[in-house]
Short mmCIF file of all heavy atoms in Angstrom, two decimals:
data_model
loop_
_atom_site.label_atom_id
_atom_site.label_comp_id
_atom_site.label_asym_id
_atom_site.label_seq_id
_atom_site.Cartn_x
_atom_site.Cartn_y
_atom_site.Cartn_z
N ASP I 1 123.26 110.89 103.14
CA ASP I 1 122.46 109.70 102.84
C ASP I 1 120.97 110.01 102.85
O ASP I 1 120.23 109.52 102.01
CB ASP I 1 122.75 108.59 103.86
CG ASP I 1 124.12 107.96 103.66
OD1 ASP I 1 124.65 108.07 102.54
OD2 ASP I 1 124.64 107.37 104.62
N GLN I 2 120.54 110.82 103.80
CA GLN I 2 119.13 111.20 103.84
C GLN I 2 118.74 112.01 102.60
O GLN I 2 117.66 111.82 102.04
CB GLN I 2 118.83 112.02 105.09
CG GLN I 2 118.85 111.22 106.38
CD GLN I 2 118.71 112.13 107.59
OE1 GLN I 2 119.17 113.28 107.56
NE2 GLN I 2 118.08 111.62 108.64
N LEU I 3 119.61 112.91 102.18
CA LEU I 3 119.33 113.73 101.00
C LEU I 3 119.24 112.87 99.74
O LEU I 3 118.34 113.06 98.92
CB LEU I 3 120.39 114.80 100.82
CG LEU I 3 120.36 115.95 101.81
CD1 LEU I 3 121.56 116.86 101.60
CD2 LEU I 3 119.08 116.73 101.67
N THR I 4 120.16 111.93 99.57
CA THR I 4 120.11 111.09 98.38
C THR I 4 118.90 110.16 98.42
O THR I 4 118.32 109.87 97.37
CB THR I 4 121.40 110.27 98.22
OG1 THR I 4 121.65 109.53 99.41
CG2 THR I 4 122.58 111.17 97.91
N ASP I 5 118.52 109.69 99.60
CA ASP I 5 117.30 108.87 99.69
C ASP I 5 116.07 109.64 99.26
O ASP I 5 115.22 109.12 98.53
CB ASP I 5 117.11 108.35 101.12
CG ASP I 5 118.13 107.29 101.50
OD1 ASP I 5 118.79 106.76 100.59
OD2 ASP I 5 118.25 107.00 102.71
N MET I 6 115.97 110.89 99.71
CA MET I 6 114.83 111.73 99.30
C MET I 6 114.86 112.00 97.80
O MET I 6 113.82 112.01 97.14
CB MET I 6 114.84 113.05 100.07
CG MET I 6 114.44 112.93 101.52
SD MET I 6 114.22 114.52 102.32
CE MET I 6 115.89 115.13 102.39
N LEU I 7 116.05 112.22 97.25
CA LEU I 7 116.18 112.50 95.83
C LEU I 7 115.75 111.30 94.98
O LEU I 7 115.01 111.44 94.02
CB LEU I 7 117.62 112.89 95.49
CG LEU I 7 117.90 113.07 94.00
CD1 LEU I 7 117.29 114.36 93.52
CD2 LEU I 7 119.36 113.01 93.72
N VAL I 8 116.22 110.12 95.35
CA VAL I 8 115.86 108.92 94.60
C VAL I 8 114.36 108.67 94.69
O VAL I 8 113.71 108.34 93.70
CB VAL I 8 116.66 107.70 95.11
CG1 VAL I 8 116.11 106.41 94.57
CG2 VAL I 8 118.12 107.86 94.75
N PHE I 9 113.80 108.84 95.87
CA PHE I 9 112.36 108.64 96.05
C PHE I 9 111.56 109.57 95.14
O PHE I 9 110.69 109.13 94.38
CB PHE I 9 112.01 108.88 97.52
CG PHE I 9 110.55 108.72 97.83
CD1 PHE I 9 110.00 107.47 97.98
CD2 PHE I 9 109.73 109.83 97.98
CE1 PHE I 9 108.66 107.30 98.27
CE2 PHE I 9 108.39 109.69 98.26
CZ PHE I 9 107.86 108.42 98.41
N ALA I 10 111.88 110.86 95.18
CA ALA I 10 111.15 111.83 94.37
C ALA I 10 111.40 111.62 92.88
O ALA I 10 110.48 111.73 92.06
CB ALA I 10 111.54 113.25 94.77
N SER I 11 112.62 111.30 92.50
CA SER I 11 112.95 111.11 91.09
C SER I 11 112.15 109.97 90.48
O SER I 11 111.63 110.09 89.37
CB SER I 11 114.44 110.83 90.92
OG SER I 11 115.19 111.94 91.30
N PHE I 12 112.06 108.86 91.18
CA PHE I 12 111.37 107.71 90.61
C PHE I 12 109.86 107.90 90.57
O PHE I 12 109.19 107.27 89.74
CB PHE I 12 111.77 106.42 91.32
CG PHE I 12 113.00 105.81 90.72
CD1 PHE I 12 114.25 106.12 91.22
CD2 PHE I 12 112.90 104.99 89.62
CE1 PHE I 12 115.39 105.59 90.65
CE2 PHE I 12 114.03 104.45 89.04
CZ PHE I 12 115.29 104.75 89.55
N ILE I 13 109.33 108.76 91.40
CA ILE I 13 107.91 109.11 91.25
C ILE I 13 107.70 109.79 89.90
O ILE I 13 106.79 109.44 89.14
CB ILE I 13 107.45 110.02 92.41
CG1 ILE I 13 107.38 109.23 93.71
CG2 ILE I 13 106.09 110.65 92.09
CD1 ILE I 13 107.08 110.08 94.92
N PHE I 14 108.57 110.74 89.57
CA PHE I 14 108.42 111.47 88.32
C PHE I 14 108.83 110.64 87.11
O PHE I 14 108.26 110.79 86.03
CB PHE I 14 109.18 112.79 88.38
CG PHE I 14 108.55 113.76 89.33
CD1 PHE I 14 109.13 114.05 90.55
CD2 PHE I 14 107.35 114.36 89.01
CE1 PHE I 14 108.53 114.94 91.43
CE2 PHE I 14 106.73 115.26 89.88
CZ PHE I 14 107.33 115.54 91.09
N TYR I 15 109.84 109.77 87.24
CA TYR I 15 110.19 108.87 86.14
C TYR I 15 109.01 107.97 85.79
O TYR I 15 108.69 107.77 84.62
CB TYR I 15 111.39 108.00 86.49
CG TYR I 15 112.69 108.73 86.67
CD1 TYR I 15 113.70 108.19 87.45
CD2 TYR I 15 112.95 109.96 86.07
CE1 TYR I 15 114.91 108.83 87.62
CE2 TYR I 15 114.14 110.61 86.24
CZ TYR I 15 115.12 110.04 87.02
OH TYR I 15 116.32 110.68 87.19
N GLY I 16 108.39 107.41 86.81
CA GLY I 16 107.24 106.54 86.58
C GLY I 16 106.07 107.30 85.98
O GLY I 16 105.38 106.80 85.08
N ALA I 17 105.83 108.52 86.46
CA ALA I 17 104.73 109.32 85.91
C ALA I 17 104.99 109.69 84.46
O ALA I 17 104.06 109.70 83.63
CB ALA I 17 104.55 110.59 86.75
N THR I 18 106.23 109.96 84.11
CA THR I 18 106.57 110.27 82.72
C THR I 18 106.35 109.06 81.83
O THR I 18 105.80 109.18 80.73
CB THR I 18 108.03 110.74 82.63
OG1 THR I 18 108.21 111.87 83.48
CG2 THR I 18 108.41 111.09 81.21
N THR I 19 106.76 107.90 82.29
CA THR I 19 106.56 106.68 81.51
C THR I 19 105.08 106.35 81.39
O THR I 19 104.63 105.90 80.33
CB THR I 19 107.33 105.51 82.15
OG1 THR I 19 108.68 105.91 82.37
CG2 THR I 19 107.30 104.28 81.27
N LEU I 20 104.33 106.58 82.43
CA LEU I 20 102.89 106.38 82.37
C LEU I 20 102.26 107.33 81.34
O LEU I 20 101.30 106.97 80.66
CB LEU I 20 102.27 106.60 83.75
CG LEU I 20 100.78 106.34 83.88
CD1 LEU I 20 100.47 104.88 83.58
CD2 LEU I 20 100.31 106.71 85.27
N GLY I 21 102.84 108.51 81.21
CA GLY I 21 102.36 109.47 80.22
C GLY I 21 102.46 108.94 78.80
O GLY I 21 101.65 109.30 77.93
N VAL I 22 103.44 108.07 78.53
CA VAL I 22 103.54 107.46 77.20
C VAL I 22 102.30 106.63 76.91
O VAL I 22 101.72 106.70 75.83
CB VAL I 22 104.82 106.59 77.11
CG1 VAL I 22 104.84 105.77 75.83
CG2 VAL I 22 106.06 107.45 77.21
N PHE I 23 101.87 105.84 77.89
CA PHE I 23 100.67 105.02 77.71
C PHE I 23 99.43 105.89 77.54
O PHE I 23 98.56 105.60 76.72
CB PHE I 23 100.48 104.06 78.88
CG PHE I 23 101.47 102.94 78.89
CD1 PHE I 23 102.50 102.90 79.83
CD2 PHE I 23 101.38 101.91 77.98
CE1 PHE I 23 103.40 101.87 79.85
CE2 PHE I 23 102.28 100.87 77.98
CZ PHE I 23 103.30 100.85 78.92
N VAL I 24 99.34 106.96 78.34
CA VAL I 24 98.18 107.85 78.26
C VAL I 24 98.11 108.50 76.88
O VAL I 24 97.04 108.57 76.27
CB VAL I 24 98.22 108.92 79.38
CG1 VAL I 24 97.16 109.97 79.18
CG2 VAL I 24 98.08 108.26 80.74
N LEU I 25 99.24 108.96 76.38
CA LEU I 25 99.25 109.57 75.05
C LEU I 25 98.91 108.57 73.95
O LEU I 25 98.29 108.91 72.96
CB LEU I 25 100.60 110.22 74.78
CG LEU I 25 100.85 111.53 75.50
CD1 LEU I 25 102.27 112.03 75.23
CD2 LEU I 25 99.85 112.58 75.08
N ARG I 26 99.33 107.31 74.12
CA ARG I 26 98.99 106.28 73.12
C ARG I 26 97.48 106.06 73.05
O ARG I 26 96.94 105.83 71.98
CB ARG I 26 99.64 104.95 73.45
CG ARG I 26 101.11 104.96 73.51
CD ARG I 26 101.65 105.25 72.15
NE ARG I 26 103.04 105.58 72.30
CZ ARG I 26 103.94 105.32 71.43
NH1 ARG I 26 103.61 104.76 70.31
NH2 ARG I 26 105.17 105.65 71.64
N VAL I 27 96.83 106.14 74.20
CA VAL I 27 95.38 105.95 74.23
C VAL I 27 94.66 107.19 73.68
O VAL I 27 93.72 107.07 72.90
CB VAL I 27 94.90 105.62 75.66
CG1 VAL I 27 93.40 105.63 75.76
CG2 VAL I 27 95.47 104.29 76.11
#
């Protein structure tokens, strides 16, 4: 459970950063 919690936490940081990159590239 601790490992999956860490994985989800780290994954969503990078998912959000990737999606933010779409906006940055549009600008």
